[in-house]
Amino acid sequence: MLPMPVSMDTTEFRKRGKEMVDYIADYFEQLDKRQVYPDVEPGYLRPLIPDSAPQEPESFEDVLKDVERLIMPGVTHWHSPYFFAYFPTASSFPALLADILSGGIGCIGFSWAASPACTELETVMLDWLGKMINLPEEFLAGKDGEGGGVIQGSASEATLVALLAARTKTIRRVQSENPELTEADIMSKLVVYASDQAHSSVERAGLIGGVKIKNIPSDDKFTVRGSALKKVLHEDRAAGLIPFFFCATLGTTSCCSFDRLLELGPICNKENIWMHIDAAYAGSAFICPEFRHLLNGVEFADSFNFNPHKWLLVNFDCSAMWVKKRSDLTNAFKLDPLYLQHCHQESGLVTDYRHWQIPLGRRFRSLKMWFVFRMYGVKGLQEYIRKHVKLSHEFENLVLQDKRFEICAEVTLGLVCFRLKGSNELNEALLKSINDARKIHLVPCHLREKFVLRFAICSRTVESVHIQFAWKHISKLATGLLKAQDKQQQ
């Protein structure tokens, strides 16, 4: 028998691992010197790499050289202090080290037996995090609770899982009350509701779930009120439809607005509607007592989700989801072939997370939470959130001092929505000039009919000096645009 070729043994792995850590450390130290947004065209990479994999092994040195030569020119640097687009994606050295450990252990933790530590640490970490944001006791697993938390891959997955669980629960309830109705009869009448400001992932969940979805109009502060939901529910009940799921948003993607849980929750409870809360970005801020009031009303929810991988220094992917009754998930997703069974699964002492999610396999993601929570502490994480919020208000104040600009939505956390006073075309031109210059990076949104620029505080290393630079750059580009506009009008 021929020996298996070894491209890297443990001795070389030690050496190359240290080199990779050095490369990553250098990357972060010099990140502010890299152009934040790449200057490449679609399809740039294919002509630069071979059409097929090499037949013979290549050296680590050659691979690493090609990272810098081929890959880095096409990278958008999300952790640059000049990146202000979308929302933050978290990064920290403790989380990176935990990810290395997770990859090294390499377990596939679909059940307790598949790796007991993988399952049990996740359960405890979700309880830790739930306590950090003061979640009601019903959402925690504890020693004998009915609820509990799970790490999903993204908020989109969490919404889909909650919707599918709610759909199964509703179909079974309606069939028990009306045995003559088929599942198809009921499915055709099911309706999902969300704000007109909700993330597109809610609509996608409805598409995957095969149910109707309706947007509830938001008010002048881009928040959904109880009266608006009541009105639509009344109309749909009268039309013979079955409302079954409402997704409330805390911290909308467009402008970080907050639906009124204290108005919406009692309505959902009374109408037997599953209320899911999507707080993908904003949820991390709830570890700070001064922002916890934004979560008031969570006690009415059936499920709640936010992304530590956005703003809590835990690298992607790590989306925390809690449910009041874990049986709602397992009743919807449980399939138990013999090859996945184990002797402890009916003991009531263990959790098999494969019944809480869409995929079967899962990585040891809770290690990242464990490392970060221990090495930063709650106080360190709170300081990080507060710093970002302070910087967003610094940018807001700079905008307010320039009468050419307007703030378009209330600044609550780390997002500022602003624009030049004037046409949408003018603001589209401003954004294009900002991103074409590639000194900072922003993305837009629509708020009603207005084209708006979003300025999100993102990087772990961003400081006041970067905010000041960004504003001077934006202001200078705006001056040039307005001068050009004046010339055209003369």
Side-chain angles (χ1 to χ4, degrees):
M1 181 181 292
L2 291 173
M4 287 291 290
V6 178
S7 64
M8 186 179 290
D9 59 18
T10 54
T11 299
E12 188 176 3
F13 176 70
R14 291 179 193 278
K15 178 184 176 184
R16 302 310 187 186
K18 290 170 185 175
E19 290 175 10
M20 181 58 78
V21 168
D22 283 342
Y23 180 84
I24 294 169
D26 290 343
Y27 170 75
F28 276 102
E29 283 186 345
Q30 300 163 16
L31 193 48
D32 61 340
K33 297 178 180 65
R34 292 183 184 262
Q35 184 174 281
V36 63
Y37 192 68
D39 191 12
V40 297
E41 296 297 324
Y44 91 95
L45 188 57
R46 182 172 287 276
L48 301 177
I49 58 178
D51 278 346
S52 54
Q55 293 297 311
E56 301 295 332
E58 297 182 2
S59 70
F60 178 81
E61 289 93 342
D62 288 343
V63 175
L64 194 57
K65 283 177 187 174
D66 281 348
V67 170
E68 193 62 41
R69 185 175 69 91
L70 304 176
I71 303 304
M72 283 301 176
V75 170
T76 299
H77 298 289
W78 280 65
H79 302 291
S80 166
Y82 299 111
F83 182 93
F84 303 103
Y86 311 105
F87 276 133
T89 180
S91 177
S92 69
F93 296 127
L96 284 172
L97 292 173
D99 240 355
I100 293 173
L101 179 59
S102 173
I105 293 172
C107 64
I108 308 298
F110 48 76
S111 70
W112 180 87
S115 191
C118 181
T119 293
E120 295 199 13
L121 186 64
E122 183 164 334
T123 302
V124 176
M125 287 303 100
L126 270 292
D127 275 2
W128 274 21
L129 185 53
K131 291 173 183 176
M132 286 161 63
I133 62 173
N134 198 22
L135 270 186
E137 194 74 25
E138 303 101 295
F139 286 103
L140 306 182
K143 291 183 178 178
D144 52 8
E146 293 184 11
V150 58
I151 299 174
Q152 304 287 1
S154 67
S156 304
E157 284 180 43
T159 300
L160 176 60
V161 165
L163 184 148
L164 294 177
R167 188 187 70 177
T168 297
K169 187 175 184 178
T170 302
I171 289 171
R172 289 174 179 172
R173 174 178 57 80
V174 173
Q175 279 189 319
S176 69
E177 296 167 355
N178 304 274
E180 73 282 2
L181 293 178
T182 65
E183 183 172 324
D185 293 332
I186 299 167
M187 281 280 292
S188 68
K189 297 178 180 180
L190 294 177
V191 188
V192 169
Y193 303 89
S195 166
D196 57 14
Q197 300 297 312
H199 194 271
S200 59
S201 59
V202 183
E203 183 176 359
R204 176 175 288 184
L207 288 172
I208 296 171
V211 293
K212 300 178 183 69
I213 181 163
K214 292 193 175 185
N215 289 330
I216 307 298
S218 56
D219 65 11
D220 58 353
K221 291 187 176 181
F222 308 104
T223 182
V224 168
R225 306 295 301 267
S227 56
L229 178 61
K230 263 186 183 178
K231 182 175 182 294
V232 177
L233 291 179
H234 177 76
E235 293 168 354
D236 285 355
R237 294 275 192 204
L241 298 175
I242 305 173
F244 81 101
F245 184 86
F246 174 70
C247 181
T249 306
L250 299 180
T252 57
T253 302
S254 294
C255 66
C256 200
S257 57
F258 293 79
D259 291 341
R260 297 293 185 92
L261 298 185
L262 290 170
E263 297 178 12
L264 299 162
I267 296 169
C268 290
N269 288 180
K270 181 181 178 184
E271 297 281 348
N272 217 355
I273 294 170
W274 181 301
M275 185 167 80
H276 174 69
I277 299 173
D278 173 8
Y281 162 68
S284 296
F286 303 154
I287 68 170
C288 299
E290 64 269 31
F291 299 123
R292 176 54 179 79
H293 70 277
L294 296 167
L295 188 55
N296 289 348
V298 67
E299 61 270 19
F300 298 107
D302 296 274
S303 53
F304 169 70
N305 164 251
F306 81 91
N307 291 341
H309 68 230
K310 274 193 168 66
W311 205 13
L312 211 58
L313 297 174
V314 178
N315 293 51
F316 189 87
D317 58 332
C318 182
S319 186
M321 178 187 185
W322 292 265
V323 287
K324 273 185 180 171
K325 292 186 177 180
R326 56 180 176 265
S327 59
D328 288 338
L329 299 187
T330 57
N331 287 343
F333 299 115
K334 186 171 183 177
L335 293 171
D336 222 9
L338 181 60
Y339 51 82
L340 295 178
Q341 294 176 21
H342 59 90
C343 61
H344 294 288
Q345 66 181 39
E346 301 301 332
S347 67
L349 300 174
V350 302
T351 296
D352 284 345
Y353 277 125
R354 70 181 187 272
H355 304 313
W356 296 48
Q357 61 179 23
I358 303 298
L360 174 64
R362 51 207 336 274
R363 297 185 303 113
F364 202 162
R365 293 174 290 196
S366 58
L367 283 170
K368 294 182 289 190
M369 301 174 77
W370 195 44
F371 275 45
V372 168
F373 295 167
R374 293 182 67 186
M375 296 177 75
Y376 277 92
V378 175
K379 289 183 178 179
L381 295 171
Q382 289 170 336
E383 289 171 8
Y384 177 69
I385 297 291
R386 288 169 179 146
K387 174 186 171 183
H388 273 204
V389 175
K390 182 181 178 182
L391 291 174
S392 75
H393 286 298
E394 179 178 342
F395 185 81
E396 176 192 22
N397 289 332
L398 292 169
V399 175
L400 290 171
Q401 290 167 25
D402 190 329
K403 293 183 179 179
R404 301 174 300 172
F405 287 86
E406 61 182 339
I407 296 291
C408 304
E410 182 180 356
V411 178
T412 306
L413 298 177
L415 175 68
V416 182
C417 291
F418 73 107
R419 71 195 300 272
L420 276 169
K421 295 173 182 175
S423 67
N424 283 345
E425 290 75 18
L426 177 63
N427 283 280
E428 289 170 9
L430 175 59
L431 181 67
K432 185 176 188 303
S433 66
I434 290 169
N435 287 334
D436 284 353
R438 291 176 166 79
K439 295 188 177 189
I440 62 173
H441 187 44
L442 274 66
V443 296
C445 69
H446 273 114
L447 293 177
R448 305 291 185 246
E449 294 79 28
K450 288 183 176 181
F451 183 92
V452 173
L453 282 67
R454 298 170 72 263
F455 189 92
I457 309 298
C458 291
S459 172
R460 177 175 53 83
T461 59
V462 67
E463 300 288 348
S464 176
V465 64
H466 304 111
I467 305 303
Q468 296 291 333
F469 172 87
W471 174 246
K472 286 177 184 176
H473 180 58
I474 293 167
S475 181
K476 182 179 178 181
L477 292 173
T479 298
L481 275 175
L482 292 170
K483 282 182 179 178
Q485 185 185 62
D486 289 343
K487 283 184 180 179
Q488 287 179 350
Q489 292 173 350
Q490 287 174 0

